[in-house]
Amino acid sequence: MAEGGAGPGGGESLLFLTDEQLRKGIEAMFFAYRGFTADPDRILERYEYGRAHHRALHFIHRSPNTTVNNLLSMLGVTKQSLNRVLRTLIEDGLVESRVGRKDKRERHLVLTDKGAQLERELSEAQRGRMRAAYRAAGPQAVAGFRQVLEAMMEPDMRRQYQKLRDGGA
Amino acid sequence: MAEGGAGPGGGESLLFLTDEQLRKGIEAMFFAYRGFTADPDRILERYEYGRAHHRALHFIHRSPNTTVNNLLSMLGVTKQSLNRVLRTLIEDGLVESRVGRKDKRERHLVLTDKGAQLERELSEAQRGRMRAAYRAAGPQAVAGFRQVLEAMMEPDMRRQYQKLRDGGA
DNA sequence: TTGGAAAGTCAACAAGGCTGACATAAAATA
DNA sequence: TATTTTATGTCAGCCTTGTTGACTTTCCAA
């Protein structure tokens, strides 16, 4: 299973594909994801919200007026699970649910000022860490980081991601 | 907050540090982590285990004879939470808990053959995706990927990671 | 007008985090 | 030696966030 040594095909060293290297990458993902969520988690605690609320706020901010179904396919959870989170956000006045103009079955979701404020607080904390990591690693490393992450996604998620990446700018 | 344009300091473009780029990185992490866990999750379902079991198996494989306390600081959970998982793994004969020779308070954990077998199955699935992503992105991208992830970790987690990375090879 | 899609709701359940309290054994120390 | 500290395990109970299944309401479109 392990592939090592400089292969004849391409002339590039394939040492980076050894099982040992792959295991290190797996551990890096595990530990890094903890850092990735650490700052928002601390903030959310103060507001008595959880990660699920953060994710909803993030994607509603990113795609204002998105429908519940859209949001569901982004988040990859069941509507029952999302609904619980969404209900509290609406009750607490962070999110507004607007009946669709064309299709009145649909609910279009937008952040209220209060919701935008919390989203900003969470996002700023998360971006702060990201920015520090990016700066420390440098632009070339960042490009590689993004490439590997994208290649790791499941195809449907990759499509979701690319839509945001290209259109949402 | 956003920094753009080619700065005078260093001559390198800082466009990769814009809030927009950081947001894309955040989304990439989110979607990629789902892919990262998808294959093991499918396998675990068949065995009626969860992600927590996978993590325990991974780190016991990685550091055989590790103590419970060591494992706790790797995983960053409470002993009660780990204990529940560990107990089922021991009951099911995947993990063996050995009383320490020097310090008899300690329990040293090792995988049984059965445990090693499941660990291998999970790991092979996860490495398979990792390998494909690495191959698609190339060695330079992989180096960048690892750099950014490492810079993103919380300091104690980074220490844990580096200990494994350097010693565990 | 009727079928089906979009959305919401209720109930029940599971995994896997958490805290707090307590027990035991053994090591370390006063 | 007596006491304290450490490592571990365990019980009880709580929370978040995921799941499935069943059912209703709304309303677009054929």
Side-chain angles (χ1 to χ4, degrees), chain A residues 7-13:
Chain A
E12 246 170 18
S13 167

Side-chain angles (χ1 to χ4, degrees), chain B residues 72-122:
Chain B
L72 279 177
S73 63
M74 296 271 210
L75 296 170
V77 296
T78 59
K79 63 174 179 171
Q80 294 91 331
S81 195
L82 174 59
N83 193 257
R84 178 169 36 197
V85 164
L86 222 41
R87 205 187 322 161
T88 71
L89 290 175
I90 291 169
E91 274 169 12
D92 296 354
L94 302 186
V95 168
E96 202 186 320
S97 166
R98 294 175 183 161
V99 173
R101 270 187 312 137
K102 269 194 70 175
D103 186 333
K104 291 176 192 165
R105 290 169 305 178
E106 294 180 341
R107 303 301 145 92
H108 297 268
L109 304 167
V110 284
L111 296 185
T112 63
D113 287 353
K114 196 175 160 194
Q117 198 179 321
L118 176 54
E119 195 284 330
R120 206 175 311 118
E121 187 180 352
L122 292 166

